[in-house]
């Protein structure tokens, strides 16, 4: 498999180069040259296959010759080594729970897959030792830290804003040690992001340290998200019409992967991007004009994105044809007030606790069903409600029970390196 840059000013590369470099030299995102079709035999047998086998079948054509099948099988098995249950919530609505990974974030799968691919390339000497540099406002950093922990040949440096992440998130970032270093920045998330950007642009640094990022721009983090949809299809009732699929969306990496799986032949119905007040994509689907804006804060903060980085990939998938896109993909915008109302209603009537991101998706699905008749649908539950105590606890009336993986972090020593908002200080640290 070759990947081309969506800006078309860079050479085509294989999976290894796309993974190691992240972005094309012209600044474009990489996109696969062909869309592999899932084989009829695979689709027939899907329900009986293990998660690792499903993952190997889906990922192999994208990885091509870059990693031999036996090694790729091992990488796949580790990347999906937890549960992805499809849970009934109410009549006509099921939730695909993606928060049973080590950091309770759906980003665990992509982070684990990418880390093991990078580790494979580094150990074979295909690349110099790699430093993964990420800025986080919370969830991405934890998933990346946990995903890369102990991977030989890869150092991880995470910048987070001091005092601005939740206690659980800070524990996930700062208690692991080994090849993970947390830099506690005396500033905001935007400061962290600006420092990371500057590091990637520094020619002197580039000569002396091989830096790469770990966000969903990277194909090795983006593409394995197709697996969630395969695991959902394994569990969707046999013989039922394919589900309407509602995806809480921020940078649109996850939903774009789902659309890719659908284009490859996975039996899935209409897709809906569920957004909060940050709605450049819903506006695009309504008007045909895409206008990025500054992000506004909401309760579903992982989706507070004003200029979604993967939107260009969605355009490419539909050949830049709005009519084609509308035939497969809708979008909706849900306010914070409606988000809270949905959490309360679903808890009171069905005893199921949604997190704010899941509640945005639930609301979008209910609106779609009200307009289109009772088609069965599923929402992707992307975060565990325990991460949003300020929103869910007033509704519950008590604290949410901490899951075991989080309890295990309690009491472990925090280790972070304080850093001023000063690029020279970051550079000195990296060198
Ligand atoms: C990252 C994230 C999203 C958004 O996913 P994208 O792939 O960026 O659209 C949604 N919900 C949660 C909880 C997230 O952490």
């Amino acid at each position: 498999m070759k990947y081309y840059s969506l800006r078309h000013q860079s050479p085509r590369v294989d999976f290894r180069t796309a993974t190691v470099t992240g972005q094309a030299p012209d600044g474009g995102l990489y996109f696969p040259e062909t869309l592999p079709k899932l084989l009829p035999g695979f689709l027939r047998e899907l329900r009986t296959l293990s998660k690792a086998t499903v993952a190997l079948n889906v990922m192999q054509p994208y990885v091509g010759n870059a990693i031999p099948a036996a090694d790729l099988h091992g990488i796949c098995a580790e990347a999906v080594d937890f549960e992805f249950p499809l849970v009934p919530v109410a009549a006509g609505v099921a939730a695909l729970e993606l928060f049973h990974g080590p950091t309770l974030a759906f980003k665990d799968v992509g982070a684990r897959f990418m880390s093991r691919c990078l580790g494979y390339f580094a150990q074979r000497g295909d690349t110099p030792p790699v430093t993964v540099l990420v800025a986080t406002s919370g969830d991405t950093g934890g998933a990346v830290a946990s995903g890369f922990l102990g991977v030989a040949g890869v150092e991880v440096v995470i910048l987070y804003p001091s005092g601005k992440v939740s206690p659980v998130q800070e524990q996930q970032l700062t208690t692991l040690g080994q090849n993970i270093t947390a830099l506690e920045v005396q500033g905001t998330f935007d400061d962290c992001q600006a420092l990371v950007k500057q590091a990637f642009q520094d020619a002197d640094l580039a000569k002396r340290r091989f830096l790469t990022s770990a966000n969903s721009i990277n194909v090795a983090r983006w593409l394995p998200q197709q697996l969630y949809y395969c695991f959902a299809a394994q569990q969707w009732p046999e013989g039922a019409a394919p589900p309407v699929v509602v995806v809480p969306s921020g940078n649109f990496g996850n939903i774009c992967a789902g659309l890719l799986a659908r284009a490859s032949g996975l039996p899935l119905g209409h897709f809906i991007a569920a957004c909060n007040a940050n709605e450049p994509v819903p506006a695009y689907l309504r008007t045909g004009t895409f206008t990025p804006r500054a992000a506004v804060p909401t309760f579903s903060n992982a989706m507070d994105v004003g200029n979604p980085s993967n939107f260009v990939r969605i355009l490419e998938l539909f050949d830049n044809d709005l009519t084609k896109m509308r035939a497969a993909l809708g979008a909706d915008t849900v306010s914070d007030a409606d988000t809270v109302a949905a959490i309360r209603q679903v808890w009171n009537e069905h005893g199921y606790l949604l997190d704010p991101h899941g509640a945005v998706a639930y609301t979008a699905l209910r609106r779609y069903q009200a307009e289109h008749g009772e088609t069965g649908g599923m929402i992707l539950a992307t975060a565990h409600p325990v991460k949003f105590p300020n929103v869910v606890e007033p509704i519950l009336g008590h604290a949410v029970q901490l899951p075991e993986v989080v309890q295990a972090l309690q009491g472990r020593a925090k280790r972070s390196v304080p850093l001023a908002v000063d690029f020279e200080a970051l550079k000195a640290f990296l060198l």
Side-chain angles (χ1 to χ4, degrees):
M1 173 72 80
K2 291 274 194 228
Y3 293 83
Y4 60 95
S5 165
L6 289 177
R7 292 192 183 159
H8 304 284
Q9 305 297 316
S10 296
R12 301 185 171 218
V13 299
D14 69 353
F15 177 79
R16 185 187 68 82
T17 302
T19 297
V20 171
T21 57
Q23 228 162 322
D26 62 11
L29 271 60
Y30 282 120
F31 198 83
E33 203 167 45
T34 55
L35 290 193
K37 287 276 174 250
L38 297 170
L39 300 175
F42 171 79
L43 290 170
R44 233 182 359 257
E45 306 279 303
L46 183 59
R47 285 166 194 280
T48 66
L49 302 177
S50 71
K51 294 194 299 283
T53 304
V54 170
L56 180 65
N57 271 277
V58 172
M59 295 310 294
Q60 173 98 75
Y62 288 99
V63 174
N65 298 326
I67 303 176
D71 295 296
L72 184 60
H73 184 267
I75 291 171
C76 287
E78 287 182 21
V80 297
D81 183 22
F82 41 87
E83 298 306 312
F84 302 84
L86 184 68
V87 178
V89 173
V93 182
L96 182 69
E97 294 185 346
L98 300 179
F99 50 73
H100 297 283
T103 74
L104 312 177
F106 84 96
K107 295 177 172 74
D108 281 328
V109 169
R112 289 162 74 82
F113 186 84
M114 179 187 163
S115 66
R116 282 153 182 80
C117 290
L118 264 189
Y120 174 84
F121 297 135
Q123 275 164 40
R124 286 185 18 123
D126 289 353
T127 76
V130 184
T131 300
V132 173
L133 190 63
V134 275
T136 186
S137 57
D139 263 9
T140 302
V144 168
S146 155
F148 281 80
L149 182 68
V151 175
V154 184
E155 286 291 321
V156 177
V157 178
I158 299 169
L159 284 74
Y160 76 97
S162 182
K164 296 192 177 63
V165 301
S166 75
V168 164
Q169 287 172 331
E170 186 165 44
Q171 284 168 340
Q172 290 175 336
L173 295 172
T174 59
T175 60
L176 295 175
Q178 297 185 46
N179 58 331
I180 314 293
T181 306
L183 298 183
E184 184 171 357
V185 176
Q186 314 302 314
T188 63
F189 170 61
D190 286 339
D191 293 327
C192 297
Q193 216 164 15
L195 285 171
V196 167
K197 256 196 185 150
Q198 206 176 342
F200 284 121
Q201 288 160 359
D202 190 275
D204 183 39
L205 204 49
K207 265 185 246 146
R208 297 157 73 184
R209 220 160 156 171
F210 192 93
L211 295 179
T212 193
S213 83
N215 52 33
S216 61
I217 282 175
N218 194 301
V219 295
R221 236 199 83 184
W222 169 51
L223 292 170
Q225 300 182 92
Q226 295 178 89
L227 301 173
Y228 315 140
Y229 302 86
C230 300
F231 301 150
Q234 286 187 307
Q235 300 172 73
W236 190 251
E238 215 162 352
V244 174
V245 181
V246 188
V247 187
S249 294
N251 268 318
F252 281 69
N254 186 5
I255 195 168
C256 188
L259 289 164
L260 209 57
R262 183 181 188 266
S264 300
L266 201 66
L268 299 170
H270 196 64
F271 268 62
I272 300 169
C275 298
N276 57 32
N278 297 281
E279 55 137 23
V281 177
Y284 172 78
L285 281 160
R286 283 195 307 270
T287 64
T289 307
F290 182 74
T291 316
R293 343 180 161 174
V296 296
T298 72
F299 290 155
S300 45
N301 55 16
M303 311 197 294
D304 294 349
V305 179
N307 188 10
S309 49
N310 285 286
F311 180 62
V312 285
R313 283 184 169 139
I314 293 185
L315 285 175
E316 186 74 4
L317 191 60
F318 293 109
D319 303 322
N320 286 283
D321 181 336
L322 183 57
T323 309
K324 257 194 203 173
M325 191 188 293
R326 282 177 175 153
L329 174 66
D332 205 350
T333 303
V334 177
S335 68
D336 273 352
D338 288 345
T339 303
V340 171
I343 297 173
R344 177 171 290 116
Q345 189 223 330
V346 171
W347 174 248
N348 289 341
E349 289 177 19
H350 307 291
Y352 186 91
L353 187 62
L354 291 164
D355 94 290
H357 304 77
V360 167
Y362 181 88
T363 306
L365 176 56
R366 283 309 197 202
R367 288 181 190 161
Y368 182 86
Q369 288 172 328
E371 234 178 83
H372 294 82
E374 276 297 311
T375 36
M378 79 180 174
I379 60 171
L380 271 61
T382 48
H384 195 292
V386 77
K387 289 181 172 173
F388 303 92
N390 56 332
V391 182
V392 301
E393 285 181 3
I395 295 170
L396 274 184
H398 58 82
V400 185
Q401 169 100 27
L402 282 186
E404 270 172 44
V405 286
V406 178
Q407 277 176 21
L409 295 173
Q410 307 286 311
R412 290 180 60 165
K414 166 181 159 177
R415 263 173 294 169
S416 68
V417 179
L419 187 81
V421 183
D422 171 9
F423 177 65
E424 289 310 318
L426 173 63
K427 191 167 165 180
F429 175 82
L430 289 171
L431 294 175

